Amino acid sequence: MVLSEEQILVTLTDVFRQYGYEGASLAAIAEATGLAKASLYHRFPGGKAQMAEAVMDRARVWLDTVALVPLRDQSLPIRDRVLAMTRQLDAFYQSGEKSCLLDALSIGEAGSALRRMTRDALDLWAGELAAAVAAAGYGEEDAARRAERAITLVQGALIVSRIKGDPAPFRRVLAELPEQLLGG
Amino acid sequence: MVLSEEQILVTLTDVFRQYGYEGASLAAIAEATGLAKASLYHRFPGGKAQMAEAVMDRARVWLDTVALVPLRDQSLPIRDRVLAMTRQLDAFYQSGEKSCLLDALSIGEAGSALRRMTRDALDLWAGELAAAVAAAGYGEEDAARRAERAITLVQGALIVSRIKGDPAPFRRVLAELPEQLLGG
DNA sequence: GTCTATAGTAAGATAGAC
DNA sequence: GTCTATCTTACTATAGAC
């Protein structure tokens, strides 16, 4: 059976964020996707490194074309825009039951291309979030700090939720994110 | 040359938090410690799993006997106690240049014993921090939320700093931790 | 308690048939 | 584009000498 590239990338994303880059063996990937290892190499001649880069590229595209889109909709109140972003995050992380992709792919001896991609994704997220907050009337620097703190809370909450085996900390952070970004 | 158990655990801690559990190969551990693989097995018959558990156990002891000690010193103002804890964290994480051990050892297929140890360490930290905040006059539930949020910020900041290759986010979070815990 | 040497296994990756 | 079978390497772990 022939799977679509999209279906494979969804599965790869799950495997990488569950096991991390090193922990995700080709055997595990083959089993999760239902494809033989040779078939994976047919689609990703660069092997596991290319698979991880494809996953990260798709994550950046998702950030750019889905999660961050509501932030740019100036017809909505800023608080609603932020709220729409948190709903996308909630879906991507399944309310805290899935681990963070940026974390999983930035640990260990990830290649330099992958490192750059995780950094770019983080910068994209932080930049657009800061711009949205600044557009709400905050100073550039204040907005940048609020955006950085929001992202920090999301990343941290995903770790705390994973370690505790309890999605509640992530849900709490997500619920308080609009106030964190726009309050005070 | 015979290294002390403590010297080995210091090195193991560094290797595990740099590469993660899966990424830390015995070859890398042997090179970092200067011991042959067989010598490592002499000291840790349970192999890599036992090494990681020993590292995590030492981290819990450090938390209990070093980092959290100032929190219990009721002769000092609460803000100074929290500040003393942040100084210990700053030293352990070398101002954000070292990754988070709890993160590195909780990702992937870490054994159930290791999982329990990371969770226990997190609970110990959260519990004592919440108790200290509560002793400053906050309600139990409010104190627990503030403690959870502080730990979330520290974890998240370590990830952001690692991805960006810039310790500044971690330093900022640490500097704002007393206000985060006790302000408002 | 250290080492060299090696066993046994699982990893990433490839060849070639269909 | 898929597969089975295989190659090579690197891994975890052990044996046995000093």
Side-chain angles (χ1 to χ4, degrees):
Chain A
M1 177 181 168
V2 180
L3 295 171
S4 73
E5 176 95 357
E6 175 66 12
Q7 286 174 302
I8 292 174
L9 286 177
V10 169
T11 303
L12 283 177
T13 300
D14 266 3
V15 174
F16 277 123
R17 64 177 167 179
Q18 177 173 358
Y19 297 109
Y21 181 74
E22 323 273 352
S25 70
L26 285 184
I29 293 171
E31 192 187 346
T33 56
L35 286 176
K37 284 189 275 185
S39 303
L40 289 165
Y41 274 92
H42 176 75
R43 288 158 176 264
F44 305 96
K48 197 162 85 163
Q50 187 179 349
M51 296 180 208
E53 287 161 23
V55 163
M56 202 59 234
D57 187 61
R58 178 173 167 276
R60 184 192 50 75
V61 169
W62 170 83
L63 209 56
D64 198 28
T65 64
V66 179
L68 300 181
V69 166
L71 289 181
R72 304 172 193 133
D73 181 0
Q74 305 207 359
S75 73
L76 289 173
I78 177 67
R79 207 167 273 263
D80 291 352
R81 284 185 257 162
V82 168
L83 202 62
M85 181 193 73
T86 67
R87 276 195 293 265
Q88 294 297 339
L89 291 176
D90 191 57
F92 184 75
Y93 291 115
Q94 297 205 355
S95 299
E97 280 165 15
K98 302 262 184 179
S99 289
C100 180
L101 192 61
L102 288 175
D103 179 26
L105 290 186
S106 68
I107 214 168
E109 48 228 43
S112 61
L114 193 58
R115 288 218 119 87
R116 200 175 320 112
M117 293 177 81
T118 55
R119 195 173 57 237
D120 288 348
L122 192 74
D123 288 344
L124 171 68
W125 189 3
E128 297 238 8
L129 198 51
V133 173
Y138 293 96
E140 295 285 341
E141 200 158 334
D142 187 19
R145 288 287 181 279
R146 285 166 183 264
E148 182 179 279
R149 174 157 289 224
I151 291 174
T152 299
L153 280 165
V154 170
Q155 308 291 318
L158 285 166
I159 293 188
V160 171
S161 278
R162 184 181 71 214
I163 293 175
K164 297 190 76 166
D166 174 13
F170 175 73
R171 295 200 186 122
R172 274 194 284 272
V173 160
L174 226 51
E176 296 170 8
L177 216 58
E179 182 62 21
Q180 143 71 32
L181 277 164
L182 305 165
Chain B
M1 178 182 168
V2 180
L3 297 171
S4 72
E5 175 96 356
E6 174 66 12
Q7 286 174 301
I8 292 174
L9 286 177
V10 168
T11 303
L12 284 178
T13 300
D14 266 3
V15 173
F16 276 122
R17 64 178 167 178
Q18 177 173 359
Y19 296 108
Y21 180 74
E22 324 271 353
S25 70
L26 285 184
I29 293 170
E31 192 187 348
T33 55
L35 286 176
K37 285 187 274 184
S39 302
L40 289 165
Y41 274 92
H42 176 76
R43 288 158 176 263
F44 303 97
K48 198 162 83 164
Q50 188 179 348
M51 296 180 208
E53 288 161 23
V55 163
M56 201 58 234
D57 187 61
R58 179 173 165 275
R60 184 193 50 76
V61 169
W62 170 82
L63 208 57
D64 198 29
T65 63
V66 180
L68 299 180
V69 166
L71 289 181
R72 304 173 193 134
D73 181 1
Q74 306 208 356
S75 73
L76 289 172
I78 178 67
R79 206 167 274 264
D80 290 353
R81 284 186 256 161
V82 169
L83 201 63
M85 182 194 71
T86 68
R87 277 195 292 264
Q88 294 297 338
L89 291 176
D90 191 58
F92 184 75
Y93 291 114
Q94 298 206 356
S95 299
E97 280 165 15
K98 301 264 183 177
S99 289
C100 181
L101 192 61
L102 288 176
D103 179 26
L105 290 185
S106 67
I107 214 168
E109 48 228 42
S112 62
L114 193 56
R115 289 218 118 88
R116 201 174 321 112
M117 293 177 81
T118 55
R119 196 174 57 236
D120 287 349
L122 192 75
D123 287 344
L124 171 67
W125 189 3
E128 296 238 9
L129 198 50
V133 173
Y138 292 96
E140 294 285 340
E141 200 159 334
D142 187 21
R145 288 286 182 280
R146 285 167 183 264
E148 182 179 279
R149 173 156 290 224
I151 291 174
T152 299
L153 280 166
V154 169
Q155 307 291 319
L158 286 165
I159 293 188
V160 170
S161 279
R162 184 180 72 214
I163 293 176
K164 297 189 76 165
D166 173 14
F170 176 72
R171 293 200 187 122
R172 274 194 284 272
V173 160
L174 226 49
E176 294 169 9
L177 215 58
E179 183 61 20
Q180 143 69 33
L181 277 164
L182 304 165

